[in-house]
C-alpha cells in the first residue's frame, strides 16, 4: 500500500505509521502483527486530535480501513498473545541498540534503533487494563523513556562533535544524571501535552528527534519473539 499522507494536525501519530509502513516491507508474521498494533495505537492517539480537521478525519478513516482489512488475519491471536508478540519485538529492538551502546559503538543507526524501540514500547499501552501487572507496565514505560532519551543523547553528542557516552539500561537510571520520569508524565497517553524526553533544558532536542524519526528504521528479519503460536497470520503478499 502507498505511504499514508499524514496532515500536520496528526504529527503525533507519524512515528507509529512510519514504523508500521517499514514493518510492512519485512513481511514476517511477527512484523505484520506489530504493524497492525502500531496502526491501531495511531488511531487511538489520533482521534482526540482530529475533531476539527477534515484532513485528519480522512487520514484516520483510511487507517481504520487498513485495520479492517487485517482484522481477520489478526483474529488468530488473542489479546495476551498479541501483547506478547509486540513486547518481544520491542525488547529485541531495545536490546540490539543497548548492546551497541554499552560497547561504546553508538552512532546514528543506534539512535534510530533506540527511537524505534521507544515507539514499539509505547504501543504496548493499548493492552493495559485493570488486570495488567503494575511492575511489568512500569518496566515497559521505563524502557520507553530510556530508549527515547538515549536516542536524543546520542544524536546530540554527534551533532556537537562528541563521541556518545556509553550507557547501560538500569545503571544510567540509577545515577544522578538519570532521566526524570516526571518530565514525561502525561505525554505518552494518546497525544497528551506533557514534555518529551530531551525537552527540559535541552536545546535542539526537537531537531534530534526529527532526525531520528525521518530516517527509516530497518526491521530485523523474522524477529525472535520467544512466542510460538499454534497458528499465525499468513505472510503479507
Amino acid at each position: 500500500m502507498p505511504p499514508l499522507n499524514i496532515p500536520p494536525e496528526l504529527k503525533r501519530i507519524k512515528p507509529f505509521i512510519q514504523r508500521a509502513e517499514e514493518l510492512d516491507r519485512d513481511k514476517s508474521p511477527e512484523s505484520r502483527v506489530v504493524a497492525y498494533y502500531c496502526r491501531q495505537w495511531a488511531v487511538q492517539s489520533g482521534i482526540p486530535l482530529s475533531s476539527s480537521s477534515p484532513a485528519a478525519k480522512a487520514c484516520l478513516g483510511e487507517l481504520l480501513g487498513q485495520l479492517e482489512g487485517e482484522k481477520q488475519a489478526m483474529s488468530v491471536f488473542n489479546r495476551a498473545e498479541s501483547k506478547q508478540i509486540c513486547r518481544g519485538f520491542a525488547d529485541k529492538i531495545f536490546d540490539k541498540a543497548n548492546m551497541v551502546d554499552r560497547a561504546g559503538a553508538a552512532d546514528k543507526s543506534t539512535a534510530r534503533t533506540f527511537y524505534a524501540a521507544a515507539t514499539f514500547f509505547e504501543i504496548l499501552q493499548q493492552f493495559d487494563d485493570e488486570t495488567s501487572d503494575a511492575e511489568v507496565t512500569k518496566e515497559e514505560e521505563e524502557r520507553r523513556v530510556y530508549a527515547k532519551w538515549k536516542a536524543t543523547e546520542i544524536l546530540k553528542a554527534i551533532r556537537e562533535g562528541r563521541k556518545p557516552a556509553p550507557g547501560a539500561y538500569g545503571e544510567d537510571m540509577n545515577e544522578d544524571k538519570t532521566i526524570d520520569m516526571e518530565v514525561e508524565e502525561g505525554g505518552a497517553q494518546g497525544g497528551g501535552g506533557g514534555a518529551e524526553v530531551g525537552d527540559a533544558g535541552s536545546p535542539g532536542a526537537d531537531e534530534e528527534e526529527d532526525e531520528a524519526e525521518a530516517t527509516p528504521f530497518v526491521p530485523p528479519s523474522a524477529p525472535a519473539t520467544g512466542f510460538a503460536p499454534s497458528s499465525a497470520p499468513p505472510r503479507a503478499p
Side-chain angles (χ1 to χ4, degrees), residues 163-187:
K163 180 179 174 62
Y169 173 72
E171 297 172 16
D172 281 1
M173 298 285 282
N174 292 326
E175 296 176 2
D176 290 340
K177 62 178 182 180
T178 81
I179 312 153
D180 184 354
M181 295 290 285
E182 293 180 1
V183 165
E184 284 261 328
E185 190 171 332

Side-chain angles (χ1 to χ4, degrees), residues 23-92:
L23 290 171
D24 287 343
R25 298 194 288 271
D26 185 55
K27 298 188 183 301
S28 70
E30 291 90 344
S31 291
R32 190 174 180 183
V33 171
V34 179
Y36 177 87
Y37 284 99
C38 281
R39 289 187 170 98
Q40 182 161 284
W41 182 245
V43 170
Q44 293 179 23
S45 301
I47 287 174
L49 308 174
S50 66
S51 59
S52 61
S53 169
K57 290 179 180 178
C59 176
L60 294 181
E62 188 172 345
L63 267 177
L64 286 168
Q66 293 173 355
L67 289 171
E68 187 63 29
E70 288 283 87
K71 191 172 183 179
Q72 184 174 355
M74 293 301 111
S75 67
V76 301
F77 299 114
N78 63 34
R79 185 179 178 85
E81 291 169 342
S82 297
K83 164 71 182 287
Q84 188 174 349
I85 291 170
C86 292
R87 171 65 196 262
F89 192 95
D91 282 336
K92 180 180 178 70

Side-chain angles (χ1 to χ4, degrees), residues 142-161:
E142 287 177 348
R143 285 194 161 216
R144 184 189 72 81
V145 172
Y146 182 88
K148 198 167 185 182
W149 173 74
K150 255 302 179 180
T152 301
E153 288 295 301
I154 291 168
L155 290 174
K156 180 181 176 183
I158 293 171
R159 179 168 57 86
E160 295 176 351

Side-chain angles (χ1 to χ4, degrees), residues 83 128-140:
K83 164 71 182 287
D128 291 342
D129 57 27
E130 64 276 1
T131 66
S132 300
D133 186 310
E135 287 301 313
V136 171
T137 300
K138 179 182 177 183
E139 181 194 17
E140 291 165 355

